[in-house]
Amino acid sequence: MHVHLVFVTKYRREVFTKEILDDLRGLFAGVCIDFEAELVEFDGEDDHVHLLVNYPPKVSVSSLVNSLKGVSSRMIRRKNYPSIRKKLW
């Protein structure tokens, strides 16, 4: 089963840089592996990211999205990127 996910930044602020998008790609791929899913495509712009995920039927989309958003949020906060700190907090 496939799902197309779009995650948007708070207030659609343009905070993602190439460095952040590269970090997110690896992070999302790792989370998908944990769920026995496959990150087929990943792309992003300054204010949102697109994911195309192939996942098994035993995995609920809500639990996959919850984990993807939670892990990525923790990683972004932990690394304390200057572009995000300046525009969101």
Side-chain angles (χ1 to χ4, degrees):
M1 299 172 65
H2 285 25
V3 64
H4 175 224
L5 304 171
V6 180
F7 298 146
V8 189
T9 61
K10 189 173 185 178
Y11 309 120
R12 295 286 297 216
R13 300 239 171 108
E14 299 175 348
V15 295
F16 290 144
T17 61
K18 179 165 176 21
E19 175 191 7
I20 296 170
L21 291 174
D22 291 341
D23 288 346
L24 287 175
R25 178 188 316 268
L27 187 73
F28 287 146
V31 171
C32 287
I33 289 171
D34 291 342
F35 279 87
E36 299 175 7
E38 175 190 7
L39 182 62
V40 179
E41 283 191 41
F42 173 86
D43 195 19
E45 293 186 21
D46 295 341
D47 62 349
H48 68 279
V49 293
H50 291 264
L51 293 87
L52 180 61
V53 179
N54 184 9
Y55 66 98
K58 67 180 181 179
V59 174
S60 68
V61 177
S62 62
S63 64
L64 178 63
V65 168
N66 186 28
S67 184
L68 288 168
K69 289 180 75 172
V71 170
S72 63
S73 174
R74 281 191 299 277
M75 184 273 303
I76 287 173
R77 289 176 192 271
R78 187 176 310 125
K79 289 200 174 186
N80 207 11
Y81 293 104
S83 65
I84 293 179
R85 188 172 1 112
K86 186 173 18 175
K87 292 189 179 178
L88 288 182
W89 297 304

